[in-house]
Amino acid sequence: MQTAYYLWIGVAVVASALFAWYSYFFKEKRLSNSLYYLAVLRFISVLSAAFLLINPKFVTKSFQDEKPVLSILLDQSKSIDYLNASEQLNSDYQSLIQNEDLVEKFEIRTFALDDNFEPFDSLNFKGDATNISNGLSKNQELFKSRNNVTLLLTDGNQSRGRDLAFTKLNNPESLFPIIYGDTTVYDDFRIGQVNVNKYSYLKNEFPVEIFVQYIGDVSRESRLTIKNGNQIVYRENLTFSKNNSSTVVSASLESTSIGTQRYQIAIEPFTEEKNTSNNYRNFAVEVIDQQTKVAIITASMHPDVGALRKAIESNQQRTVEIVNPDKISNLNEYNLIIFYGVNEDLKPIINQVKLLGKNTWWLLGESPDIQMINSLQNAFSIENSKDVDEVQPILNENFTAYNVDSFSFNDYPPVRAPFGMVSFNTPIDILFYKQIGSVETADPLWFNYEENTNRHSVTMGAGLWRWRSQSFIESTSFTNFDDLVSSQVQLLASNKKRKRLDVDYNSFYYQNNEIIINAMFLNKNYEFEDSGILNLYLTNLETSEKIIRPFVLSNNTYKVNLSDIEPADYNFTVKVENDVLTQSGKISILEFDIEKQFTSASSSSFNSLIDSSNIFYAGETNKVLDELLDESKYKTIEKVTLKYSSLIDWYYLLGVMLLSLGLEWFIRKYNGLI
């Protein structure tokens, strides 16, 4: 390429010289000094213009030695401490990073691994869970363009995340786990997964499914009990052996009182059992005395109706009945009426619902009767048109009726909405705006409003089933769509007066899970207020200890994280310090330390991932060093960088050309040649 540039530069020089000669000497017989000056200036101008067109570039090479990366992943979960392996792990880590040969050969990068994967700060062994799969995947992604070797210091016990057998490594030969802790397998009873519904109804029975495991060769008998407080509500005798090492216990318990009911599952340990912390498991059920009943009234079936039903019933406190308008008998038995496909068939029912003062949700459907819709209510009016638009949703981040911070509907499939403009005679709260093609509009697609003491919602698009499908495609879960519909139903099914301070929380949480309490604070005009000072006052009901935590503003909600507080029952009060607003409640945090469930360290999880010769154990750092320092492996590579640079900066070249043209014009003018 450089040769071609040299050739073009030569051509440009010769052509510029010939043009200058032709311009001033070809026909001129008398030569003067001014002509020489003018020819030189003409040559410079033409050559500058030619250089600008050719734009010659030159390549410079730089060479740089790039060491392979040695990623050291340190397991900082609590189980390392429980297995008394923290000192050995720290000692081995120090010996590795202080080895001069290793430092010379590798670029060493250290990361902390527990439930998260992050740059290493200091060893503390306080992680609530271990997600080895996540750490390996993120490390691989981080150094995908580098020659990377991974050294994993761990007890081998993964308590969260994808099974290592399904973790894909681009180069399994470059992973070297070092296992810490006693790998001796001891006889042990263990309560594994517990499946139970979050809610139950008063005087109803609810099922509990318990997976019990046994590790050992000797046949043993034990008894499993379930307690509610001090009362045993279920017991069953169990027998285990080497060939019968697990069982599933199915129990049915009765809901006898309203509120959060705490239970403890226990399997009696045998005399010499080493680890008894995994013989117990707590769970809770919220018992309620009523269920929300929702009616979807429609004259024709549509995929949207099925999607709505599944989304609403994802919350077990709610049941849905799909009813034809000609067959409905008692509207009073429903907490919320949903109309789908609003047309002439629904007119009598809509009038009845108005008389009963029910909250409603109107989904206009594929072919709504716009003229009838306008005549049945006075809150809004839609321009009558037979045309429809394909519109996508734009979530209104300033929506205040409930928290939308966790929802994401970017690039969701379009729905079909009436083409006409909408005008309003009452204040509305817009949930979604319309996006038509790439144009974002201020026209509402989905909005709420209040009329007297009733709440109403209007969704103008048909095709919501596509949104539920998209939710599953993006996250392999319907949660994004179902939670939105659930929040909408919760708002509409309640006749409680809207509050300026609204606290969103669960009645119970499990230890080791993220515990977040959200609060919505509105000003006196019921608009979101972002200058509030909110504090959470907690009281431990057992110890009377008091804890104060400030809320942090995040988008359009206030949040407080309680993931670090001790398991117990707490009363709480949320106060707005610069306003006279409070809300109180009660939460329970159930004890469950997943890192205590392991009786020993384990290397078996790596057997399906890498060759057993790559697995080492505590104190074998010399063997690891021999492998890493092998001269035939993990060599430094020489990296060549090509840098393209222009011969002359075009700004300067343009300046030279303009200057030479200006001087040439001035000299010609001075000598009367113009």
Side-chain angles (χ1 to χ4, degrees):
M1 185 175 288
Q2 285 185 328
T3 304
Y5 278 130
Y6 287 134
L7 179 62
W8 280 109
I9 289 171
V11 172
V13 170
V14 172
S16 301
L18 289 173
F19 186 74
W21 173 80
Y22 178 81
S23 299
Y24 288 103
F25 301 114
F26 180 67
K27 295 181 180 179
E28 193 67 40
K29 295 182 179 179
R30 287 188 311 158
L31 302 178
S32 63
N33 289 335
S34 61
L35 291 179
Y36 287 110
Y37 295 139
L38 290 170
V40 170
L41 291 171
R42 179 64 60 88
F43 170 77
I44 293 172
S45 300
V46 175
L47 184 62
S48 298
F51 274 8
L52 285 172
L53 292 172
I54 298 171
N55 191 20
K57 289 183 172 65
F58 294 89
V59 182
T60 56
K61 292 182 180 180
S62 60
F63 298 89
Q64 183 180 6
D65 289 339
E66 185 177 87
K67 297 179 181 180
V69 176
L70 175 62
S71 300
I72 302 179
L73 277 57
L74 302 174
D75 186 344
Q76 292 200 125
S77 60
K78 292 177 181 178
S79 61
I80 297 290
D81 241 357
Y82 296 153
L83 295 173
N84 301 314
S86 54
E87 289 186 10
Q88 181 68 63
L89 188 150
N90 189 28
S91 175
D92 284 0
Y93 169 64
Q94 295 300 329
S95 68
L96 286 167
I97 62 173
Q98 291 171 12
N99 185 283
E100 294 180 0
D101 293 333
L102 198 68
V103 173
E104 178 67 24
K105 184 173 182 179
F106 291 95
E107 178 187 335
I108 299 178
R109 305 285 292 274
T110 307
F111 300 91
L113 175 67
D114 42 41
D115 195 20
N116 300 308
F117 173 78
E118 56 194 10
F120 173 74
D121 181 22
S122 60
L123 284 167
N124 54 40
F125 304 107
K126 293 182 179 179
D128 291 325
T130 312
N131 194 336
I132 297 174
S133 175
N134 177 60
L136 293 177
S137 298
K138 286 189 175 180
N139 178 71
Q140 181 172 266
E141 179 66 21
L142 187 61
F143 298 109
K144 62 182 178 181
S145 60
R146 299 282 300 274
N147 184 12
N148 175 237
V149 185
T150 303
L151 201 56
L152 174 62
L153 281 63
T154 179
D155 59 13
N157 293 314
Q158 176 166 268
S159 54
R160 282 213 186 127
R162 179 184 299 176
D163 193 303
L164 288 177
F166 302 102
T167 301
K168 184 179 179 181
L169 295 181
N170 294 334
N171 186 13
E173 294 79 15
S174 65
L175 172 63
F176 298 93
I178 305 178
I179 308 300
Y180 291 85
D182 185 0
T183 56
T184 305
V185 179
Y186 297 93
D187 287 9
D188 185 57
F189 285 137
R190 177 175 182 266
I191 296 176
Q193 185 172 336
V194 176
N195 296 328
V196 62
N197 294 335
K198 188 175 182 180
Y199 302 98
S200 180
Y201 301 102
L202 187 64
K203 304 301 181 183
N204 281 4
E205 289 190 345
F206 62 92
V208 183
E209 189 177 53
I210 308 160
F211 291 79
V212 186
Q213 298 170 325
Y214 168 66
I215 299 173
D217 297 331
V218 180
S219 296
R220 298 185 187 276
E221 294 183 352
S222 186
R223 175 181 293 176
L224 182 137
T225 59
I226 303 176
K227 287 185 177 181
N228 181 5
N230 295 321
Q231 181 184 2
I232 297 176
V233 295
Y234 183 86
R235 60 165 56 92
E236 183 175 337
N237 294 324
L238 303 175
T239 301
F240 297 95
S241 64
K242 182 178 180 180
N243 298 323
N244 180 31
S245 60
S246 64
T247 188
V248 179
V249 176
S250 298
S252 291
L253 307 181
E254 186 179 0
S255 306
T256 56
S257 57
I258 298 171
T260 301
Q261 301 299 313
R262 299 179 63 171
Y263 297 85
Q264 184 184 69
I265 307 169
I267 182 168
E268 294 178 1
F270 50 88
T271 306
E272 65 273 23
E273 188 167 0
K274 182 179 179 181
N275 180 18
T276 59
S277 59
N278 57 8
N279 289 43
Y280 304 90
R281 188 75 176 267
N282 296 311
F283 70 92
V285 174
E286 185 174 354
V287 179
I288 53 181
D289 63 352
Q290 64 178 353
Q291 188 175 31
T292 301
K293 293 188 69 174
V294 179
I296 301 179
I297 302 176
T298 180
S300 59
M301 294 305 295
H302 189 277
D304 284 355
V305 176
L308 283 170
R309 179 176 189 168
K310 290 177 181 177
I312 296 169
E313 291 187 340
S314 65
N315 185 325
Q316 294 175 357
Q317 297 181 70
R318 303 183 179 123
T319 58
V320 176
E321 291 185 17
I322 301 172
V323 188
N324 189 286
D326 296 331
K327 297 180 181 180
I328 193 163
S329 56
N330 184 9
L331 288 168
N332 270 324
E333 65 179 301
Y334 301 105
N335 302 94
L336 172 64
I337 307 296
I338 298 177
F339 298 114
Y340 188 87
V342 184
N343 53 37
E344 194 67 30
D345 295 325
L346 300 185
K347 186 174 181 179
I349 297 296
I350 292 175
N351 286 325
Q352 287 182 47
V353 170
K354 285 176 66 178
L355 292 173
L356 292 172
K358 292 283 186 179
N359 293 349
T360 63
W361 182 1
W362 294 27
L363 295 102
L364 303 192
E366 291 281 358
S367 303
D369 188 330
I370 302 298
Q371 187 173 353
M372 189 201 76
I373 292 170
N374 292 337
S375 67
L376 287 176
Q377 46 73 43
N378 300 316
F380 63 92
S381 177
I382 306 173
E383 183 182 348
N384 200 351
S385 172
K386 294 183 179 180
D387 296 327
V388 295
D389 276 329
E390 295 281 337
V391 301
Q392 290 179 278
I394 306 172
L395 185 64
N396 177 17
E397 295 181 353
N398 295 318
F399 184 75
T400 59
Y402 45 82
N403 182 22
V404 296
D405 192 30
S406 61
F407 300 137
S408 175
F409 287 84
N410 295 332
D411 298 322
Y412 262 49
V415 295
R416 293 166 59 86
F419 175 79
M421 297 289 291
V422 186
S423 56
F424 299 95
N425 302 315
T426 189
I428 64 166
D429 198 0
I430 298 176
L431 176 60
F432 287 108
Y433 295 100
K434 294 178 181 178
Q435 176 175 315
I436 304 173
S438 60
V439 179
E440 297 184 0
T441 74
D443 299 332
L445 173 62
W446 184 333
F447 60 89
N448 298 337
Y449 66 92
E450 295 184 7
E451 193 172 49
N452 299 322
T453 59
N454 296 118
R455 294 172 178 165
H456 304 281
S457 182
V458 178
T459 303
M460 300 180 66
L464 296 182
W465 65 271
R466 296 188 180 93
W467 292 6
R468 194 168 193 264
S469 300
Q470 183 68 24
S471 175
F472 188 84
I473 291 170
E474 289 188 352
S475 61
T476 65
S477 167
F478 298 111
T479 301
N480 190 54
F481 180 81
D482 289 358
D483 284 356
L484 175 71
V485 172
S486 182
S487 297
Q488 186 71 39
V489 170
Q490 182 176 348
L491 174 71
L492 296 173
S494 172
N495 283 318
K496 293 180 181 179
K497 185 178 178 181
R498 192 176 186 188
K499 299 180 293 186
R500 290 179 52 210
L501 176 63
D502 191 16
V503 182
D504 182 20
Y505 65 97
N506 295 327
S507 58
F508 63 89
Y509 301 87
Y510 288 100
Q511 184 190 18
N512 291 345
N513 288 345
E514 189 176 48
I515 303 172
I516 301 291
I517 293 180
N518 298 302
M520 181 72 71
F521 173 45
L522 309 177
N523 62 24
K524 292 180 180 180
N525 294 323
Y526 290 92
E527 298 168 338
F528 180 75
E529 178 61 69
D530 61 3
S531 61
I533 301 174
L534 279 67
N535 287 314
L536 178 71
Y537 296 84
L538 284 165
T539 302
N540 187 314
L541 297 182
E542 183 177 345
T543 65
S544 298
E545 178 189 5
K546 297 186 183 300
I547 302 171
I548 302 176
R549 292 289 175 86
F551 281 83
V552 177
L553 181 64
S554 175
N555 294 331
N556 285 328
T557 188
Y558 293 86
K559 295 178 178 288
V560 65
N561 192 325
L562 302 177
S563 301
D564 60 336
I565 67 173
E566 295 298 317
D569 292 330
Y570 294 88
N571 282 336
F572 73 84
T573 299
V574 177
K575 292 184 180 180
V576 181
E577 302 298 342
N578 50 357
D579 205 328
V580 188
L581 290 173
T582 63
Q583 184 173 336
S584 299
K586 180 180 178 181
I587 60 172
S588 297
I589 299 176
L590 307 180
E591 183 177 5
F592 176 62
D593 190 345
I594 195 170
E595 292 293 300
K596 282 187 176 180
Q597 305 304 303
F598 306 104
T599 58
S600 59
S602 172
S603 62
S604 59
S605 55
F606 294 101
N607 291 334
S608 60
L609 192 62
I610 58 175
D611 191 88
S612 59
S613 61
N614 277 28
I615 302 174
F616 299 89
Y617 296 89
E620 294 186 340
T621 52
N622 288 334
K623 293 182 180 180
V624 178
L625 287 171
D626 290 342
E627 181 71 26
L628 295 176
L629 297 175
D630 188 334
E631 290 297 328
S632 63
K633 300 178 180 179
Y634 319 120
K635 296 180 180 180
T636 297
I637 61 174
E638 187 176 62
K639 204 170 186 180
V640 180
T641 303
L642 301 179
K643 184 179 180 181
Y644 293 87
S645 54
S646 297
L647 176 64
I648 303 174
D649 192 296
W650 73 274
Y651 288 109
Y652 296 115
L653 198 60
L654 183 61
V656 169
M657 184 179 72
L658 293 175
L659 179 62
S660 62
L661 286 172
L663 286 173
E664 182 184 356
W665 179 86
F666 181 78
I667 294 171
R668 286 169 61 87
K669 185 75 172 177
Y670 182 79
N671 288 279
L673 298 175
I674 296 178

